[in-house]
């Protein structure tokens, strides 16, 4: 096979063009991520709200992902980031002091650059109220 030929000619990626959301988000994966987030987000955020500097962003994303007005493509990416945060095993396990949440923070920073415009003041305010409440519980 020549260097220019591809096994799958219909599979192409050009980093200069936006990804078509209909191809980027598989409904079954979104549903799985949503189930993981529904099960694990609040228990985890309660445990780490005082420890991770991006807790308010994670909560803002959670509120935005639950908002019916948030576009489906943005919701799918948000749920993927939240599911990564919830998973106990990831690139850098969370229990590693000083490093455990750096990969999660990088995921949220990337997410914010991609879909942060979907976060509304109401999502951020709900997150601020939740953070205050969670930190008072500690």
């Amino acid at each position: 096979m020549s260097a220019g030929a591809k096994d799958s000619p219909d599979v192409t990626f050009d980093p200069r063009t936006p990804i078509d959301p209909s191809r980027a988000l598989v409904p079954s994966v979104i549903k799985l991520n949503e189930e993981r987030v529904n099960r694990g987000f609040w228990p985890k955020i309660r445990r780490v709200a005082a420890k991770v500097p991006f807790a308010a962003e994670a909560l803002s994303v959670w509120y935005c992902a639950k908002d019916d007005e948030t576009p489906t493509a943005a919701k799918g990416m948000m749920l993927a980031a939240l599911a990564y945060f919830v998973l106990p095993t990831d690139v850098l396990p969370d229990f590693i002091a000083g490093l455990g949440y750096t990969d999660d923070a990088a995921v949220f920073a990337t997410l914010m650059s991609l879909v942060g415009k979907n976060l509304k003041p109401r999502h951020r305010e709900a997150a601020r109220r939740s953070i205050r409440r969670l930190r008072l519980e500690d």
Side-chain angles (χ1 to χ4, degrees), residues 77 81 103-116:
M77 287 186 264
D103 59 329
D104 299 272
V107 167
F108 277 100
T110 302
L111 176 74
M112 298 306 268
S113 71
L114 295 171
V115 296

Side-chain angles (χ1 to χ4, degrees), residues 40-41 43-45 47-48 51-52 54 81-108:
F41 180 75
K44 180 144 188 187
I45 201 71
R47 283 192 317 272
V48 304
K51 299 174 190 164
V52 297
F54 61 89
L82 291 167
Y84 184 82
F85 173 67
V86 167
L87 287 174
T89 54
D90 52 26
V91 175
L92 289 172
D94 296 339
F95 63 83
I96 298 174
L99 292 176
Y101 289 103
T102 55
D103 59 329
D104 299 272
V107 167
F108 277 100

Side-chain angles (χ1 to χ4, degrees), residues 1-70:
M1 181 180 295
S2 70
K6 292 183 177 183
D7 289 331
S8 302
D10 60 329
V11 178
T12 59
F13 177 72
D14 181 355
R16 296 167 295 191
T17 60
I19 296 173
D20 176 7
S22 68
R23 292 182 64 198
L25 301 169
V26 178
S28 61
V29 174
I30 293 173
K31 184 172 174 35
L32 177 63
N33 285 338
E34 187 169 20
E35 289 169 7
R36 284 182 178 144
V37 170
N38 286 341
R39 251 190 341 265
F41 180 75
W42 280 104
K44 180 144 188 187
I45 201 71
R46 279 188 183 95
R47 283 192 317 272
V48 304
K51 299 174 190 164
V52 297
F54 61 89
E57 286 82 9
L59 276 159
S60 295
V61 168
W62 187 84
Y63 283 112
C64 189
K66 296 296 182 176
D67 189 336
D68 290 337
E69 294 178 19
T70 301

